Amino acid sequence: MKLETLDIAIAGAGIGGLSLAALLARRGAKVTIHDQMSAPQPVGSGFVLQPTGAAILSRMGLLDRVKARGARISRMHGRLSGNGRTVLDVGYRPGAYGIAIQRGALFDLLLESAIGTGVRFETSSRVVGIDAGSSPRLVLENGIKTAAADLVIDAMGANSPIAAKTATELGYGALWATVPWPQDGRFRADELEQRYRRASQMAGVLPVGTANDGAMPMATFFWSIRNSDFDAWRTAGRESWIDAVRSFWPEAEMLAVIAEPVHARYRHLTRTPIAGLNTVKIGDAWHATSPQLGQGANMALLDAASLASALCHEATIDDAIALHLAQRRLHIRFYQLLSRVLTPFYQSDSTILPFSRDMLIGPATKLPIVRSLITTLVTGELLDPVGRIALERLAQAEDFASKNQSALV
Ligand SMILES: Cc1cc2nc3c(=O)[nH]c(=O)nc-3n(C[C@H](O)[C@H](O)[C@H](O)COP(=O)(O)OP(=O)(O)OC[C@H]3O[C@@H](n4cnc5c(N)ncnc54)[C@H](O)[C@@H]3O)c2cc1C
């Protein structure tokens, strides 16, 4: 399809919305993003871009700048608090690595890319619904409907208002803080390190690179917490938390001392991706999980690239949506299931699950076959999600758009 003929309205300027907007506008589509925020801004701390997400950013021409800002991660290493026994040790296949990055750093690059390709932004634009039909419109909080579009995208994350199904909140969330990276060598600069005590206590330290070129390197520190305990945690005060961190993971105490933690609640849901005629959900609006498997941001990038690639390939929007869903469904179902099953091993009140995690899963990861399987799983590459979305279609469409542009000059 010639994207120059399409008017596309995207609700939500998160990772999924911004990357889809940039991919489509670059190929000629007229794209408008609506976001509730008064100025586009990132939400949250830092995360790991896996080879899947990196492949999309490479296609968008952003990977070198992402690498320059992020921290290269070669290992995920989990130990028990107390005796320090390793119960999770996952590396990457040779030549591969994760890129841990501050959410703001990735957001800035995606925003710059979207602006550079001519995407229009409507800020303070809170979407409350969709006026469905062959030319759908977004309905805003003040009752105003946006101009009719050929395609409407819901990229409003887990709490999207366009949903029959509200997201189930998981029992555990976490306190997240971005702090200066400790330069004294107490943490390895290429590892996501975690500590566990049963499944009711977990903490992690992730190097996340710099917010912008030349800024100081930072770390993300997270501390698992039962949501129902949050008020008691706040009442107990900072000193009590610092004591708890010190006894759980002495090296991390200094991070707790300077942290300004934010409480994040996690949700798990899989919604139907079609919200009406010519209306599609991507990212967390379609499928949200706890960040235990660390795939959410990568999944949002894959969704965006998949939909853009399908729109470039097919002759009609209906066929493009069908192709996009066929490309993404299996991978999403599989990882949703896996996340549902695995999260309680790391965040729950169970005593049996963490016991089996420490006695069976940890030692099993030392076996080469299991190790390689877990590596592919954690990097998000199981079921070949990148191969399925045929990124070369995007390259062809880009060539076509730039040839047209030069013909006009
Ligand atoms: C604490 C935490 C840690 C995480 N760690 C990882 C990790 O390590 N690795 C990983 O891959 N993923 C991680 N994730 C998940 C990842 O952040 C999400 O999967 C990803 O951000 C989803 O992108 P999205 O574009 O679908 O939605 P979001 O990034 O949530 O963006 C949604 C956008 O929609 C806007 N919006 C919402 N409602 C409205 C409305 N009514 N009207 C207009 N605009 C609206 C919001 O302002 C926002 O800009 C983590 C998530 C959390 C909360």
Side-chain angles (χ1 to χ4, degrees):
M1 192 182 320
K2 283 188 185 157
L3 298 196
E4 299 95 307
T5 60
L6 294 183
D7 248 310
I8 297 176
I10 299 179
I15 294 167
L18 284 176
S19 44
L20 179 62
L23 282 162
L24 295 177
R26 175 85 181 262
R27 287 154 189 86
K30 289 188 259 334
V31 184
T32 307
I33 296 195
H34 296 261
D35 201 287
Q36 61 190 355
M37 293 192 243
S38 52
Q41 55 184 279
V43 184
S45 193
F47 48 73
V48 182
L49 289 165
Q50 300 295 356
T52 50
I56 311 306
L57 293 164
S58 168
R59 182 61 261 152
M60 295 176 75
L62 297 177
L63 189 57
D64 286 342
R65 295 183 68 197
V66 165
K67 279 184 191 169
R69 290 188 183 180
R72 191 181 276 228
I73 300 296
S74 56
R75 184 183 186 208
M76 282 158 265
H77 189 199
R79 295 171 184 232
L80 297 183
S81 165
N83 66 15
R85 185 157 67 83
T86 293
V87 291
L88 178 78
D89 189 356
V90 184
Y92 284 79
R93 62 182 154 73
Y97 52 89
I99 306 165
I101 188 162
Q102 292 175 51
R103 194 176 285 263
L106 177 63
F107 178 87
D108 287 349
L109 293 175
L110 291 174
L111 181 65
E112 205 180 293
S113 171
I115 291 171
T117 50
V119 172
R120 280 188 52 215
F121 282 84
E122 294 290 344
T123 49
S124 305
S125 186
R126 187 172 169 75
V127 175
V128 294
I130 283 180
D131 182 12
S134 55
S135 300
R137 300 159 187 261
L138 291 167
V139 182
L140 307 180
E141 165 173 66
N142 51 12
I144 291 176
K145 292 181 183 170
T146 59
D150 299 299
L151 181 61
V152 161
I153 308 297
D154 175 5
M156 290 184 281
N159 292 324
S160 166
I162 302 170
K165 203 163 147 189
T166 48
T168 322
E169 190 172 290
L170 301 176
Y172 277 75
L175 303 170
W176 287 76
T178 304
V179 291
W181 173 254
Q183 300 284 0
D184 58 4
R186 67 180 61 210
F187 301 110
R188 283 193 52 171
D190 65 341
E191 276 187 12
L192 163 58
E193 267 199 70
Q194 296 186 337
R195 289 289 180 281
Y196 319 111
R197 184 179 291 144
R198 295 187 290 279
S200 54
Q201 279 190 285
M202 176 180 72
V205 175
L206 174 70
V208 286
T210 59
N212 46 53
D213 306 331
M216 131 190 343
M218 305 294 279
T220 282
F221 175 52
F222 55 92
W223 178 262
S224 175
I225 187 166
R226 205 184 283 113
N227 294 326
S228 56
D229 289 345
F230 178 66
D231 286 342
W233 172 84
R234 212 166 33 184
T235 309
R238 179 180 279 275
E239 286 310 316
S240 155
W241 182 49
I242 293 171
D243 288 348
V245 174
R246 185 189 312 117
S247 83
F248 182 70
W249 190 356
E251 292 81 3
E253 178 193 353
M254 64 172 295
L255 305 183
V257 169
I258 51 174
E260 294 297 336
V262 172
H263 181 209
R265 294 167 185 270
Y266 304 150
R267 290 171 177 78
H268 186 101
L269 68 98
T270 315
R271 297 190 179 111
T272 161
I274 305 292
L277 211 54
N278 297 347
T279 307
V280 184
K281 290 176 180 294
I282 62 167
D284 278 13
W286 179 4
H287 44 77
T289 59
S290 86
Q292 208 59 55
L293 270 178
Q295 301 298 323
N298 299 280
M299 290 278 196
L301 285 162
L302 284 163
D303 286 356
S306 166
L307 183 54
S309 149
L311 284 165
C312 292
H313 186 64
E314 295 291 347
T316 67
I317 291 183
D318 276 356
D319 289 345
I321 292 174
L323 175 61
H324 159 63
L325 298 183
Q327 289 172 165
R328 291 293 299 130
R329 223 172 217 146
L330 184 64
H331 185 243
I332 285 166
R333 280 190 182 148
F334 178 74
Y335 272 91
Q336 289 294 93
L337 176 67
L338 212 63
S339 180
R340 175 72 101 192
V341 171
L342 287 181
T343 296
F345 282 83
Y346 293 89
Q347 287 192 294
S348 71
D349 295 326
S350 168
T351 47
I352 296 167
L353 295 179
F355 180 74
S356 56
R357 171 195 73 197
D358 301 341
M359 302 313 284
L360 299 174
I361 303 178
T365 58
K366 297 203 172 85
L367 302 171
I369 295 180
V370 179
R371 197 177 169 76
S372 134
L373 183 70
I374 291 187
T375 297
T376 322
L377 196 123
V378 170
T379 58
E381 295 172 300
L382 214 63
L383 305 175
D384 188 20
V386 176
R388 280 168 187 272
I389 61 184
L391 288 178
E392 62 280 4
R393 292 185 204 131
L394 289 170
Q396 287 153 12
E398 197 176 324
D399 288 350
F400 179 79
S402 56
K403 268 185 207 142
N404 268 7
Q405 204 118 66
S406 35
L408 285 174
V409 172

